Amino acid sequence: MFSFTMVFEDEQQMRECRRLLTDRYSFTGEMTLRRRENGEWLMVAHSEKRFRDSTFEKIPGRRQDE
């Protein structure tokens, strides 16, 4: 499993990222989506496949290094 965390400014940006990952990039695995107290949205994903850095550059949001 490959895990990553993404942070989004709003819910629309988070939903677009989720759609792209599942529809265009064939994401399979688990995603947890939640709103933070500061209004940002957080996605924690555990994927069955590893994504390239270039993929993360094409989707909304920013990757948060753990």
Side-chain angles (χ1 to χ4, degrees):
M1 286 243 140
F2 172 65
S3 299
F4 59 93
T5 303
M6 300 285 293
V7 178
F8 308 96
E9 294 179 15
D10 56 39
E11 185 178 4
Q12 181 180 358
Q13 195 179 48
M14 180 266 305
R15 290 187 185 280
E16 178 65 11
C17 178
R18 182 181 64 180
R19 185 189 67 76
L20 287 170
L21 284 173
T22 56
D23 295 348
R24 183 176 293 169
Y25 299 108
S26 304
F27 174 89
T28 55
E30 297 180 13
M31 273 186 212
T32 302
L33 309 165
R34 66 183 169 108
R35 187 173 186 168
R36 291 177 153 179
E37 290 181 11
N38 64 1
E40 293 181 329
W41 286 81
L42 182 71
M43 171 194 290
V44 178
H46 305 285
S47 175
E48 294 178 358
K49 74 174 196 175
R50 187 172 200 80
F51 291 99
R52 296 178 182 171
D53 288 337
S54 61
T55 301
F56 289 107
E57 294 171 4
K58 296 175 186 175
I59 58 177
R62 68 182 187 278
R63 190 166 171 201
Q64 180 176 334
D65 295 327
E66 295 183 6

